[in-house]
Amino acid sequence: MDSPRYGILGPLRLSHGQGQPLKAAKPRQLLATLLLHPNRFVSTDLIADALWESTPPRSATANIRTYVRALRAVLQDAGLPAPIDTSAAGYSIEVGVDELDASLFESLLAEGGHLRDAGDGRHAMQVLSRAYALWRGRPLEDLIIPAAWEGSLNRLEAQHRGLVDSLLDLRLEYGDAGGAAVLLSARLTEDPYDEQLWRRLVDALLAAGRVGEARAAYGKAVQTLADDLDIKPGPELEAAGARAENGRSANWPNPGIPAAVRTTAGPAEAAAPGPMAAPELTDPLRAPSQLPLDLPDFSGRADHLDQLRDLVCGRDPVRPPIAVVSGAPGTGKTSLAVRLGHMVRDSFPDGQIYLDMHGATQPRDPAAALTDLLLSLNLPDYAIPTDPERRSAMLRSELASRRVLIILDDVATAGQVTPLMPGTGASAVVVTSRNRLADLAGADSLALDTFDDGEAVALLESVAGAGRVDRTTSAAEEILAACGNLPLAIRIVGSRLAQRPDLSPGELARRLRDESSRLDELSIGELAVRTSADLSYDALSADEARLYRLIGHFAVGVFSARALEAIASPASVRRSLDRLIEVNLVRISSVDHRGTARYRMHDLLRLHAIGVGDESQQAEAVKDVATVVDAILQKIRRANKALAVEYFGVPEHSGPLTSPDPAPFTETDAIAWFDSERSTFVPAIRAAAQNGLHEYAWRIASAWGPYLDMRAGFDDWGESHRQGLQSAIESGDRWGEAIMHRNLGQLGIYQDDWDAASHHLDQAATMFAEVGDRLGDGVSAVGLGTWLRERGRPDESLAQYEKAIQAFMEVGNANGEAVARTAASSIWLSREDTVTAGRYLAEAFLLGHRLADAHRVAKVRRRIAELRIHQGRHYQAVRQLRNSLDIFTGLGDDHCAAYARADLGHALMECGELAAARKMLLDSMEIGRRLGDRSVEGQAAQHLGRLYLKTGNLDRARRTLDRAARVWQQAGHDARATACRRELASFETNAAAG
């Protein structure tokens, strides 16, 4: 196998065929960043974080471009075929699997795992050994490691640790003692104080016949532990040292755990019974078998069962395995633990003990639980010490020589079960808890979430009975959606269907639609989602309960901790939120690249949170929601003030800010805040509406319009404004209704939804006229003018633009006037009247400069470029468009940048710069497709098709023009679609004739 051309599994390495090595620090850091994300675009922000951590210079973007050019030159000189691509998404390096050691490593790791799972262990060992040989040290150890790399490096190192463990097991299994010793030696360099690693190394060397090295390894272990930790080796390591001294191998390959040997005194040695002696037991003592009944219809959790079984059957004689199974109410923690216990009974011949610790109701006293455990182990009650500490010590002594499985169900805190833990030996403990119990020493955590879709439908079918539910029907989907895939809820509805043949799935789905009564429907016998959730709620403090109720009313989707800080101090909110996470009433939904978490509450818990508390507490929750959404609205307004781009629309608020920010936003901070909190706004709008706070709902929808326009956030735009429109109607606010209609009309134009655009813009124009808002009149008129222009009605379009200019001049809105004049110029250009068009554009350009609005100037430059193309001055058009594109890119406006790229590609093509034109047009098509803007995608595809025709590439021209025609057709531009097809047909006819 040839060495990969690029290496990151150790110092950064390039296999140079020729040319100069890459020595400059920043290009090396850049190359490493790209190689950590091969064949994927890496954003400029992430690259900047990797190069400068949290303090990038103002010129970071320009500097990155310089480093990219330098890197391209070095790679080209070295003959390394790894093109670095550039797009609006960032930079990408294209490398094959065999060209990058990390990619080859992951490929071999997957292949070896597949072979091992298929039972071909020897071949798997060979493949995994090749993967192991690729590592030359710690990844990128010769470079400064920024925080931006930590996720990727941690993933690689975790894969490496897993590889070593898998390879070690395979080498032991197939008798490769020398190879196992190599791996163990490597592991000991990372963890030199692990006595079990030293013990296994000594035994591996003995098995390989290397007695001298085994003795040396034992000596080194003793010295390391003494010099660094001032401790002596434990009995396991000491026994290995004795074997090395005697030159005897352990029971290779797995010495196992010796069975407990119990000796009994002979008759001559037996002590005579005293007056208080217990009666002699003549029947043999039976091992306890206390597991509850396993559910016959248990389903799902296969991966969790495998993970738990591997843990509790691990057979480590020094560290007894302890597993904590945690999860929200109703996730099936107890069912999983009981199923596991029945699966592994044969592995625990000394018994299986089950204790319900009653953590959610009246937590059982640890001292009493110790007594129960000792009695279960067949100790007579008179032998059990009265002192709890001595009782705990006795339990540890008994478990040290036995192999017992203990299930401690429904544990409240780590302190409740710490005295019940074994100290050594082969017993195992499984703990279930609503709390995460992160402070339980030595425990491995297993968090349960809701079922995935496949597990959910399987459980429903199993509990409901054969033929009762058809998984392909909408009723089944609706039932599972109402249950939120919560196992307890699914078991309840399945049981109702099984016991009620008169209840159809469709009727049950209908009953579950009503959120106000859904929890009442999710109850049968002693099973109830509400009762299960009540137990967790009752354990909360007053502050935690208040936050729980607020989240129930507010969190219709994901939310951030910062959004809740309006009701209390940040520290208090975070303490309460941490507690809700600890008890699994709230879960972490995601963590972004900045480390900011988003949270979510299960829908059934949300309904529970809405219904708990007395009348005053529920009213307090609605008041808290009002406080939170008011804080969100005020912060959006403050962020809008910092944006350099003047919004073309009707702002919902133009007065002074009611709560000035103690730390005002900069433009960069404002955009970063919008980006980080984007997922909060739509749920906040829905929450405001559901709590009757309709004015907040429509105002928040309107307030973040400038950001949505800049980021082309069409999905969020539609969802937020549809709810905003409904809330404006509910609150009887005609002006708010007009704003919502206008914004939805603009969205319709962006998405080529011409019927919706016409409806909303007509409604907006009528309502703005009704309330006497001249600014709204002008903004609506521009939208209607654009709709008419795109529908092929230029004369009516121009009339609307002129009407808009008049309205903007009356209210003194220079930004709106610049927009309207720029739009009107397009009509004059379509008439080939470049003089009039030029006059309109000159006035618009002057207005933009006076406003110092770079975004507006960039938009006018786009139209000026169109004018230059009409005049045949293509090089001037290119200059205008490059200037425009730089501004859009700098502002992060991908939408406007996509149009600028399409125009620039056209202009470059006219100048004969075909390679650059092709790149621009491909980028424009991709951005248009990603944003869902078919107009820019169709425009770019049509220009690209013409480029292919110009170069004689008929096959690509045919495919590209066909794509353009289909896109235009989807966008409702039938004439443009026909023109594409005619253009291609004409070329093919001429080519055939020639």
Side-chain angles (χ1 to χ4, degrees), residues 187 258 354 374 459 507 534 566 587 638 707:
R187 284 286 299 273
Y354 173 88
L374 291 170
L459 178 60
E507 171 61 18
D534 282 343
R587 66 181 177 87
R638 292 197 297 271
Y707 169 79

Side-chain angles (χ1 to χ4, degrees), residues 414-639:
Q416 188 188 18
V417 293
T418 297
L420 281 57
M421 295 298 106
T424 189
S427 293
V429 181
V430 177
V431 174
T432 75
S433 177
R434 296 172 180 232
N435 304 330
R436 294 178 183 270
L437 304 187
D439 53 340
L440 183 58
D444 290 278
S445 179
L446 182 71
L448 294 190
D449 202 344
T450 54
F451 274 168
D452 62 32
D453 290 343
E455 292 174 324
V457 73
L459 178 60
L460 180 61
E461 289 177 335
S462 175
V463 178
R468 197 68 176 87
V469 179
D470 182 354
R471 67 168 64 197
T472 64
T473 62
S474 59
E477 293 179 1
E478 195 171 350
I479 289 171
L480 293 173
C483 293
N485 285 6
L486 186 71
L488 174 61
I490 297 169
R491 183 166 293 281
I492 290 170
V493 296
S495 298
R496 294 190 66 188
L497 290 172
Q499 297 178 21
R500 290 280 307 276
D502 60 320
L503 180 63
S504 70
E507 171 61 18
L508 181 57
R510 186 192 65 76
R511 295 182 185 183
L512 291 171
R513 284 178 202 148
D514 185 357
E515 287 193 349
S516 63
S517 62
R518 184 176 298 168
L519 290 181
D520 295 327
E521 294 291 335
L522 295 176
S523 174
I524 185 170
E526 294 185 357
L527 294 179
V529 173
R530 189 193 304 278
T531 302
S532 181
D534 282 343
L535 295 175
S536 292
Y537 174 74
D538 291 341
L540 300 177
S541 70
D543 287 344
E544 293 160 1
R546 179 188 178 189
L547 189 67
Y548 177 70
R549 294 190 297 268
L550 165 61
I551 293 173
H553 283 77
F554 172 72
V556 191
V558 297
F559 63 96
S560 71
R562 285 184 293 193
L564 307 177
E565 291 172 0
I567 68 161
S569 70
S572 174
V573 167
R574 290 184 183 278
R575 279 196 301 271
S576 295
L577 184 59
D578 286 346
R579 174 62 178 157
L580 294 180
I581 294 170
E582 168 68 20
V583 299
N584 287 294
L585 292 175
V586 171
R587 66 181 177 87
I588 297 174
S589 177
S590 63
V591 180
D592 64 21
H593 68 281
R594 302 176 184 85
T596 303
R598 293 290 181 278
Y599 307 92
R600 182 183 292 276
M601 178 180 281
H602 191 280
D603 273 351
L604 294 179
L605 291 176
R606 180 178 61 81
L607 298 179
H608 176 263
I610 290 173
V612 294
D614 57 28
E615 189 174 331
S616 65
Q617 289 173 326
Q618 293 183 12
E620 177 189 51
V622 175
K623 184 179 178 182
D624 285 343
V625 173
T627 301
V628 168
V629 295
D630 181 74
I632 289 173
L633 177 59
Q634 297 301 327
K635 197 156 188 178
I636 292 175
R637 289 171 175 172
R638 292 197 297 271

Side-chain angles (χ1 to χ4, degrees), residues 166-187:
S166 297
L167 194 52
L168 180 59
D169 291 341
L170 287 169
R171 288 182 176 176
L172 295 178
E173 181 179 353
Y174 289 97
D176 181 7
V182 171
L183 293 175
L184 287 164
S185 297
R187 284 286 299 273

Side-chain angles (χ1 to χ4, degrees), residues 214-224:
R215 292 170 180 165
Y218 176 70
K220 185 175 181 181
V222 172
Q223 183 178 359
T224 300

Side-chain angles (χ1 to χ4, degrees), residues 45 56 66 104 118 187 201 207 260 287 318 402 470 535 592 633 705 718 724 776 790 950:
D45 288 344
T66 300
L104 181 57
R187 284 286 299 273
L201 176 60
V318 176
R402 305 193 196 202
D470 182 354
L535 295 175
D592 64 21
L633 177 59
E790 295 298 310
K950 181 177 288 192

